[in-house]
């Protein structure tokens, strides 16, 4: 599914539309620096009902969010020097929970250790806005996108 996101408000709106389906699973967020990966992750967290501050995990690499009975982990692996470092970050514990969503920026850096994506989202610059491509790659991914496709 390909969409045009004319401005930051459109990215925000997409995050809110995606949020209800994104209860558990692994979402890869692709795109170059400044493409809007953090902006979209923030909007998904807002859509899930998280009202606090959402910081980019640029330096911490992972930011956890407790939302009701579930947990969302927002990762930015840009500064990961080796996929094996994901163990140090506690990936095993993150994956242990059943009601857990992982939003992963720069998933390429974790290749080989990071589990495959349920949904792959790719943001690209287009004029002053962005284009976004959203692909479901597993059964769970299709379920997660079900709500979006019915709109
Ligand atoms: N559809 C859009 N059109 C124009 N600007 C947008 C759009 N969506 C987001 N932006 C803006 O682009 C910037 C994207 O920054 P953001 O931190 O989200 O990028 P990023 O992909 O996470 O980069 P990094 O790889 O450095 O983490 C923000 O200033 C945001 O407001
Ligand atoms: Mg970012």
């Amino acid at each position: 599914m390909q969409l045009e996101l004319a401005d930051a408000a459109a990215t925000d709106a997409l995050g809110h539309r995606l949020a209800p389906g994104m209860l558990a699973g692994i979402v890869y967020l692709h795109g170059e620096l400044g493409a809007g990966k953090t902006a979209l992750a923030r909007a998904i967290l807002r859509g899930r009902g998280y009202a606090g501050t959402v910081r980019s995990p640029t330096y911490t690499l992972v930011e956890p969010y407790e939302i009701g009975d579930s947990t969302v982990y927002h990762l930015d692996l840009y500064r990961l020097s080796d996929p094996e470092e994901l163990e140090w970050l506690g990936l095993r514990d993150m994956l242990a929970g059943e009601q857990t969503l992982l939003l992963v920026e720069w998933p390429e850096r974790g290749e080989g250790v990071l589990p495959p994506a349920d949904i792959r989202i790719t943001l690209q610059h287009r004029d002053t806005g962005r284009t976004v491509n959203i692909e479901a790659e597993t059964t769970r991914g299709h379920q997660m996108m079900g709500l979006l496709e019915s709109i």
Side-chain angles (χ1 to χ4, degrees), residues 9-90:
T11 302
D12 201 49
L14 175 64
H16 280 84
R17 279 171 65 196
L18 286 166
M22 297 211 163
L23 302 177
I26 301 187
V27 178
Y28 283 12
L29 295 166
H30 294 281
E32 59 191 40
L33 294 169
K37 303 179 293 298
T38 297
L40 185 59
R42 183 178 291 123
I44 291 169
L45 281 159
R46 289 263 178 275
R48 283 283 307 272
Y50 184 78
T53 307
V54 177
R55 292 190 184 84
S56 173
T58 309
Y59 298 104
T60 53
L61 273 63
V62 56
E63 294 283 347
Y65 298 91
E66 302 290 339
I67 306 171
D69 293 337
S70 62
T71 309
V72 179
Y73 293 99
H74 180 195
L75 292 89
D76 181 342
L77 305 183
Y78 188 73
R79 286 181 163 74
L80 204 69
S81 44
D82 188 289
E84 299 295 335
E85 285 178 14
L86 279 166
E87 247 172 79
W88 291 89
L89 283 180

Side-chain angles (χ1 to χ4, degrees), residues 78-107:
Y78 188 73
R79 286 181 163 74
L80 204 69
S81 44
D82 188 289
E84 299 295 335
E85 285 178 14
L86 279 166
E87 247 172 79
W88 291 89
L89 283 180
L91 180 67
R92 200 185 305 263
D93 290 339
M94 292 180 216
L95 298 173
E98 289 199 354
Q99 286 301 313
T100 302
L101 177 72
L102 265 66
L103 301 171
V104 190
E105 300 184 40
W106 295 101

